[in-house]
Amino acid sequence: MIVAVASGKGGTGKTTVAASLVRAWDGPVQAVDLDVEEPNLHLFLHPEMEGGRRADMIVPLADQAKCNACRACAEICQFKAITVLGEYVVAFPEMCHGCGGCMAVCPTGAITEETRELGQVLWGWSGEARFLMGRLRVGEAMSPPLMREVVKHLDPERDAIIDAPPGTSCPPINAVRRADVIVLVSEPTPFGYHDLKLAREAFAPLGKPMGLVVNRAGLGDNQLYDYCRATGLPLLMEIPFDRRVAQAYSEGRVVIEACPEYAEAFGELVGRIRDLAVCERIEARRA
Amino acid sequence: MEKILVSCQGRTLDDPVDPRFGRAAYFLVVNPETMEFEVLDNTASRQMAQGAGIQAAEVAAGSGAKIVLSGFVGPKAFTALKAAGMRIGQGVDGLKVREAVERYQAGQVEITDRPTQSGHWT
């Protein structure tokens, strides 16, 4: 089973929840940091890194001498990564999303492959848990291609806890699309409520079971809870607005290790996530 | 006579120059001798998530103008405009289009060889 921990708003506690879930998990597990723009799960799980590799994407290299200025490449590219101006073919490899369309349609073979470095895929061990992360190259604008390289290294024999990037755009969608269950994390504030709504609406078309962890419970207002009741979004867990949780975070410690009294609640969270996945399978069988 | 393309916030010579090239509202293609002009809508470029500057450069390259005047032309649009053989004058924001053209005609707009700022992503 793959579990993605996601949120519309940044700083709600995705990594806090993901790290404790990894420690509380009841079977072989791997921790996966797909927030490749600013990975931080390793700051809590302190993995011993074992290896890594550079990840590249294929981008176009255009040869003016072979170009007949037919514009086929310019017309197929949706991202303006290659165009023809007058007689000149101009490539902007940093804009390329790597589909290879320009190379496929070029009738004269004027476009060949070049690579653009996306960043690093790194792996290791955090105790019994396998650890996997991506680190985007500084200056690289697109994170989904690197995320796709990271998930190629998933171990199919282990459950996976994915720490997703925040928001509702391409990176978080890419992080949750392989998941069996999406765990949303938010806080009971107007901002937290607003962005939770956006996240749920963004992920709903994927048709995956979702549930909510309320972090900093006791802070703010009741809109999150009203929203859960109104929409049927299951409330999976509440983490109190507790100074000791914040302190554990600031020290790079996993909450259930720093505050063992939360271990039971996270154990129950694991069970509820498993239940969500099972219910989904039963409903799918009925339908 | 070489026509001049100016990024513009409106549709007349008395509207202000749009300081942005790629995401300018309109382009005015001006005949500097007669001050006759044609208006090009740049909405298609403005609505692009990425590549607005390159799209705008394609519009400019197809306009018949040989000179581009704007506030700031980004690095990708700059590369594209140069490939199309166009000359680029920047820093005319704060002026009306009419004034920008007059200033160019008086030789007071520097034609630059490189973008004056880096792009959004670099």
Side-chain angles (χ1 to χ4, degrees):
Chain A
M1 173 163 64
I2 299 178
V3 180
V5 183
S7 74
K9 180 182 176 300
T12 56
K14 283 180 300 302
T15 304
T16 299
V17 169
S20 280
L21 264 183
V22 169
R23 288 289 181 257
W25 203 252
D26 55 0
V29 69
Q30 53 198 323
V32 187
D33 197 346
L34 282 187
D35 190 0
V36 300
E37 289 176 77
E38 38 203 348
N40 66 342
L41 187 58
H42 62 288
L43 300 177
F44 300 90
L45 295 179
H46 306 284
E48 265 185 52
M49 299 316 286
E50 198 175 66
R53 71 169 178 91
R54 179 182 139 158
D56 291 305
M57 188 166 76
I58 289 167
V59 297
L61 179 67
D63 180 356
Q64 181 61 42
K66 290 185 185 164
C67 176
N68 66 358
C70 74
R71 294 191 58 83
C73 57
E75 278 154 28
I76 199 168
C77 183
Q78 301 300 296
F79 301 102
K80 292 285 161 194
I82 191 160
T83 188
V84 177
L85 286 145
E87 298 297 304
Y88 290 92
V89 57
V90 188
F92 297 92
E94 69 274 32
M95 310 276 278
C96 178
H97 288 227
C99 76
C102 55
M103 300 166 201
V105 298
C106 179
T108 63
I111 306 170
T112 52
E113 293 183 358
E114 191 181 29
T115 56
R116 180 176 93 216
E117 184 186 351
L118 299 168
Q120 300 283 324
V121 182
L122 302 162
W123 54 83
W125 293 91
S126 172
E128 298 289 302
R130 190 165 175 261
F131 186 88
L132 185 59
M133 69 182 282
R135 191 186 285 283
L136 198 68
R137 173 178 60 82
V138 172
E140 171 59 47
M142 281 167 237
S143 58
L146 178 60
M147 293 163 64
R148 288 193 284 272
E149 292 298 316
V150 174
V151 297
K152 284 181 185 169
H153 292 258
L154 280 174
D155 178 352
E157 302 298 315
R158 290 171 175 268
D159 291 329
I161 310 295
I162 292 175
D163 192 7
T168 53
S169 61
C170 295
I173 298 290
N174 266 279
V176 306
R177 68 191 312 165
R178 293 175 60 103
D180 300 299
V181 174
I182 300 172
V183 175
L184 297 166
V185 183
S186 194
E187 58 182 30
T189 62
F191 195 176
Y193 161 66
H194 177 268
D195 285 2
L196 170 75
K197 224 167 48 170
L198 293 182
R200 183 175 170 274
E201 287 167 12
F203 299 151
L206 299 172
K208 296 175 186 298
M210 287 190 267
L212 175 67
V213 171
V214 175
N215 191 18
R216 305 188 189 105
L219 177 79
D221 57 25
N222 286 319
Q223 288 179 93
L224 275 188
Y225 302 98
D226 294 342
Y227 183 70
C228 282
R229 268 191 292 275
T231 60
L233 180 68
L235 178 59
L236 301 174
M237 181 186 181
E238 288 180 286
I239 304 171
F241 186 44
D242 178 347
R243 186 189 168 86
R244 295 174 56 233
V245 172
Q247 190 174 338
Y249 183 89
S250 72
E251 292 167 351
R253 301 174 71 194
V254 179
V255 171
I256 62 170
E257 289 170 351
C259 315
E261 69 272 27
Y262 287 109
E264 195 182 331
F266 272 100
E268 287 169 9
L269 176 62
V270 171
R272 292 195 180 117
I273 291 169
R274 287 204 180 278
D275 288 348
L276 269 182
V278 170
C279 289
E280 183 66 14
R281 280 200 293 274
I282 292 169
E283 276 174 30
R285 214 172 294 150
R286 278 195 195 135
Chain B
M1 184 279 311
E2 290 181 321
K3 286 187 183 170
I4 302 171
L5 178 139
V6 189
S7 61
C8 184
Q9 295 179 31
R11 305 173 62 94
T12 77
L13 292 175
D14 293 309
D15 282 312
V17 170
D18 199 315
R20 306 158 304 172
F21 173 71
R23 295 190 191 272
Y26 300 99
F27 295 127
L28 267 48
V29 182
V30 185
N31 178 331
E33 287 168 10
T34 62
M35 292 309 268
E36 286 174 331
F37 66 96
E38 181 194 352
V39 180
L40 299 178
D41 193 315
N42 193 40
T43 306
S45 307
R46 298 181 78 175
Q47 289 174 345
M48 296 186 71
Q50 66 169 56
I54 300 164
Q55 167 85 20
E58 290 177 1
V59 171
S63 72
K66 288 289 169 215
I67 296 132
V68 169
L69 298 180
S70 188
F72 158 59
V73 177
K76 299 190 193 77
F78 203 97
T79 302
L81 287 169
K82 295 277 281 185
M86 304 188 78
R87 301 200 296 284
I88 302 149
Q90 300 184 80
V92 296
D93 44 320
L95 301 177
K96 293 174 181 174
V97 171
R98 184 190 304 281
E99 295 164 344
V101 171
E102 287 166 357
R103 195 171 286 196
Y104 174 78
Q105 289 294 90
Q108 291 169 356
V109 177
E110 190 191 353
I111 299 300
T112 45
D113 282 339
R114 60 180 64 87
T116 49
Q117 293 174 38
S118 58
H120 302 298
W121 288 353
T122 49

